[in-house]
Amino acid sequence: DASNMAGALKALGAVLDGAAFAAADQKKLVALVQSQQADGDDELDLGAPAAATYKSHSNGIVDVLEDLKEKAEGELADLRKAETNTQHNYDMLKQSLTDQ
């Protein structure tokens, strides 16, 4: 079981590195997986967890993913604004050069 967890964490790390997640976000996701594993060790011996138990654990994952989505949308909006400003500055420079 410990070797499976180590392999899963290594695979998760590779996915997070490839997905270009920020280091803080990577740490949150790894900590979440580790806490889920620690909570789930007892459940593995007894079979599938109860529906209420599963539901309570899924909220943490959903919250992390929603936070990541909000952060990505904010970054996208900032980049689009910067791109628009850069395009406007370029157009103004081009116009001033052609007017001379």
Side-chain angles (χ1 to χ4, degrees):
D1 239 356
S3 63
N4 288 342
M5 181 60 181
L9 286 175
K10 185 175 180 180
L12 177 64
V15 169
L16 293 176
D17 288 340
F21 281 110
D25 294 333
Q26 289 180 7
K27 288 179 183 178
K28 285 182 187 178
L29 286 172
V30 170
L32 179 65
V33 170
Q34 288 174 336
S35 71
Q36 298 297 319
Q37 177 62 27
D39 291 344
D41 284 343
D42 296 332
E43 294 169 0
L44 290 176
D45 297 335
L46 302 174
T53 303
Y54 179 75
K55 185 176 180 179
S56 69
H57 288 299
S58 67
N59 289 341
I61 295 169
V62 171
D63 291 340
V64 169
L65 292 176
E66 285 176 353
D67 288 344
L68 290 173
K69 180 183 175 193
E70 289 174 11
K71 183 178 176 183
E73 288 173 346
E75 289 177 4
L76 178 61
D78 292 343
L79 290 172
R80 285 182 175 164
K81 182 177 180 181
E83 181 181 18
T84 301
N85 288 338
T86 303
Q87 182 65 44
H88 174 73
N89 291 339
Y90 171 78
D91 291 340
M92 295 299 289
L93 178 62
K94 182 180 174 184
Q95 182 66 38
S96 70
L97 291 174
T98 56
D99 286 345
Q100 293 179 359

